[in-house]
Amino acid sequence: MPRAKSHASSTSAGSTEPVLVLPPKGQGFKKTICIIGAGASGLGAAKELTNLGHKVMIFEQNIRIGGVYAVSYDNTMLTTSSILTAYSDYSTGLENKPKFYSDEEYLEYLDAYSHKFGLYDHIQFRSEVTKATKCPKSGKWVVTVKDGAYTCPHRATYLLGSAHSQKLRDYAKNDLGKRSLEDFFGKAEEQGFKNIKDTYEYTYVDHTTGEEVTMTAQDKRTETTYLFDSLVVCSGTNKFAIMPHFAGEERFQGPIVHTNDYKKPEIYHGKRVLIIGAGESGSDICNEIASCASKVCIVARGKHGHIIPRKQSDGRVTDLNTNRCRYSNPYIFGDWVGWANQHAKRFVSQYGDDSTEEERRILSKIGELNLSQKTSAFSKFGCKNEGFVIAMVTKGAELHRDGFRLEENKAVFEDGSEFICDAVVACTGYVNAFAFWEHPD
């Protein structure tokens, strides 16, 4: 094993023998702990571990906190309400008025939480963990980190936290951010998002110092290796896209992109778009693209997840129904309750007094779709997002539940029907993989 030094040191990336850095315990710290990722899980872990007296270092590849919500597509809305998404020790004081956060609102919440508990002091941004191995002799975790990680510009890049002045926050979002994002997405539309997302040069405001920084893709990055007592992996699994091969895709003349490379619906203005996958992201994306496209079709492989709307007909958030009393029942009883619940939805949609006509039609369609595929809240898969149903009811979107093949300008389904399309968005999920992981277990 390479020798260890107790003082900060590093070598250039590509060195065969990197120097190991021991984060000093001192000052009564119990253990040194590495946390990978400054999203909701990483921040919560850091707060609890520092409270217990441990020395914590958080390595975050992005330029800001927030994890997946710092890179999410436009109009992202959480599928769990604020009352169940919030940390138990940080309240907004609005528990009696739960809502569904947008990604930007949730980032503000995480920022306030991080400031309250001093978590920014423990984060190293633009730091990519490339290797994590447990030494079998010492039991220490050997963690290798490269600095200068590249991140393409995003709305969240220019949303500064509450520690900065309102003037600087407005400048970052409405001036610098607006100009940078317009230029980036303009070039992305011309050259293709994949072709520029790892090389585009831009300026942003550092979220900790408030200084303007230029983001460039660096060929030479400094590599440092640390020794830690423990390792906490909070990097999430939405990193490596699953992109299946679709029959006939070689013949299709339009673009085929994965959710990972989708950011804005406007690029599909006036086009006919095929959405593959009816999970929560697919449902969201189907609905927002349907607002811009001339026609949208969403295709699911067999059954889509059991649809559970975010809100009930009386306006209450649906996840408040989640409780052990309900979900500890036998499956057969749960399926019966689910069947009764879907019929109740259809009844309310016809005779309820508080819903608008549009809301009634959406509620009725949810009940119809769930009943047709005989699913309930006890089914294996669920979709806490009625977006694609809204698109069907109010924007004319089509739903297909069978296989298909692509031709030059269309999808041909197994039942013989066709959908003429200009573009395909694959909402086909991510593989659970960690590129840095080197562990015998």
Side-chain angles (χ1 to χ4, degrees):
M1 172 178 278
R3 61 194 178 89
K5 288 186 176 182
S6 59
H7 60 275
S9 181
S10 60
T11 63
S12 61
S15 170
T16 57
E17 189 177 354
V19 174
L20 297 182
V21 176
L22 288 171
K25 290 184 181 179
Q27 302 178 12
F29 293 122
K30 296 177 181 178
K31 292 184 177 182
T32 56
I33 301 178
C34 169
I35 298 177
I36 304 176
S41 296
L43 296 172
K47 183 264 178 183
E48 295 299 324
L49 291 169
T50 53
N51 277 359
L52 292 172
H54 301 297
K55 173 69 175 179
V56 168
M57 292 183 69
I58 309 172
F59 297 108
E60 170 54 51
Q61 191 167 344
N62 206 326
I63 58 97
R64 61 156 302 140
I65 65 170
V68 67
Y69 298 106
V71 295
S72 52
Y73 47 84
D74 282 7
N75 306 311
T76 294
M77 183 176 291
L78 277 64
T79 55
T80 52
S81 69
S82 56
I83 195 169
L84 295 184
T85 304
Y87 296 107
S88 60
D89 53 2
Y90 186 67
S91 168
T92 60
L94 299 174
E95 283 79 8
N96 62 327
K97 296 180 180 179
K99 61 177 294 185
F100 288 92
Y101 286 132
S102 68
D103 53 359
E104 295 186 6
E105 290 173 325
Y106 189 52
L107 290 174
E108 290 180 359
Y109 175 83
L110 293 178
D111 171 71
Y113 175 84
S114 299
H115 278 299
K116 178 178 180 180
F117 296 107
L119 302 182
Y120 277 104
D121 297 336
H122 305 283
I123 306 174
Q124 293 190 21
F125 293 105
R126 297 188 67 184
S127 298
E128 178 187 6
V129 175
T130 59
K131 186 185 296 185
T133 308
K134 190 172 186 179
C135 176
K137 292 184 178 180
S138 67
K140 301 284 187 180
W141 282 95
V142 185
V143 180
T144 303
V145 182
K146 282 185 179 180
D147 70 358
Y150 178 87
T151 304
C152 69
H154 184 272
R155 287 175 293 114
T157 305
Y158 299 97
L159 297 177
L160 298 183
S162 56
H164 301 286
S165 69
Q166 189 60 50
K167 181 179 180 180
L168 182 60
R169 295 172 72 182
D170 289 341
Y171 165 72
K173 179 180 179 180
N174 301 323
D175 187 343
L176 180 62
K178 184 178 180 180
R179 287 187 280 111
S180 297
L181 292 174
E182 285 180 353
D183 183 65
F184 173 71
F185 283 110
K187 290 181 177 177
E189 191 168 355
E190 294 173 1
Q191 304 173 29
F193 182 77
K194 285 185 178 181
N195 296 326
I196 71 165
K197 70 174 185 177
D198 297 321
T199 57
Y200 179 79
E201 184 175 308
Y202 64 96
T203 302
Y204 68 96
V205 177
D206 189 282
H207 282 238
T208 52
T209 66
E211 299 174 349
E212 289 195 21
V213 181
T214 299
M215 173 69 76
T216 58
Q218 302 178 13
D219 294 328
K220 294 183 179 180
R221 296 163 55 191
T222 301
E223 184 178 85
T224 306
T225 301
Y226 299 84
L227 289 183
F228 291 98
D229 295 314
S230 300
L231 174 69
V232 183
V233 178
C234 302
S235 54
T237 57
N238 287 12
K239 187 172 179 66
F240 300 102
I242 297 174
M243 192 65 169
H245 176 272
F246 304 112
E249 69 175 51
E250 299 84 0
R251 301 174 60 190
F252 186 67
Q253 297 177 353
I256 303 176
V257 302
H258 187 273
T259 311
N260 193 49
D261 293 323
Y262 167 83
K263 300 301 176 187
K264 300 174 75 66
E266 288 82 2
I267 63 174
Y268 297 105
H269 181 75
K271 296 182 179 180
R272 296 175 63 89
V273 185
L274 179 72
I275 311 293
I276 303 173
E280 286 165 357
S281 293
S283 188
D284 256 344
I285 291 172
C286 175
N287 189 34
E288 66 173 44
I289 289 182
S291 299
C292 299
S294 63
K295 186 72 173 180
V296 166
C297 171
I298 186 166
V299 56
R301 185 175 54 188
K303 296 179 179 180
H304 51 72
H306 180 75
I307 307 165
I308 304 173
R310 286 185 172 98
K311 292 185 178 182
Q312 299 183 67
S313 58
D314 60 1
R316 291 197 310 134
V317 293
T318 302
D319 58 12
L320 289 181
N321 289 339
T322 302
N323 56 72
R324 292 182 181 179
C325 179
R326 179 175 182 178
Y327 289 104
S328 60
N329 286 310
Y331 275 101
I332 189 170
F333 180 65
D335 287 341
W336 181 86
V337 172
W339 177 86
N341 189 34
Q342 300 315 304
H343 279 286
K345 278 188 174 67
R346 300 189 72 182
F347 178 84
V348 171
S349 70
Q350 295 178 36
Y351 303 106
D353 295 328
D354 298 329
S355 302
T356 65
E357 177 62 26
E358 183 175 288
E359 290 170 336
R360 292 181 184 181
R361 291 169 57 209
I362 294 168
L363 194 62
S364 178
K365 193 66 175 179
I366 291 173
E368 174 191 328
L369 292 173
N370 286 336
L371 284 169
S372 67
Q373 60 180 17
K374 299 180 180 179
T375 57
S376 74
F378 283 69
S379 299
K380 184 176 181 180
F381 298 107
C383 181
K384 303 183 293 295
N385 184 339
E386 72 277 27
F388 81 85
V389 183
I390 296 174
M392 291 174 66
V393 172
T394 67
K395 303 167 187 175
E398 297 180 13
L399 169 66
H400 287 265
R401 286 182 169 137
D402 51 355
F404 68 94
R405 72 177 187 276
L406 292 172
E407 296 188 357
E408 288 83 354
N409 65 340
K410 62 185 176 182
V412 180
F413 299 96
E414 291 178 352
D415 64 2
S417 61
E418 300 179 351
F419 179 75
I420 304 297
C421 53
D422 307 299
V424 175
V425 180
C427 306
T428 46
Y430 297 82
V431 62
N432 292 336
F434 302 91
F436 55 80
W437 203 248
E438 289 190 9
H439 190 242
D441 296 337

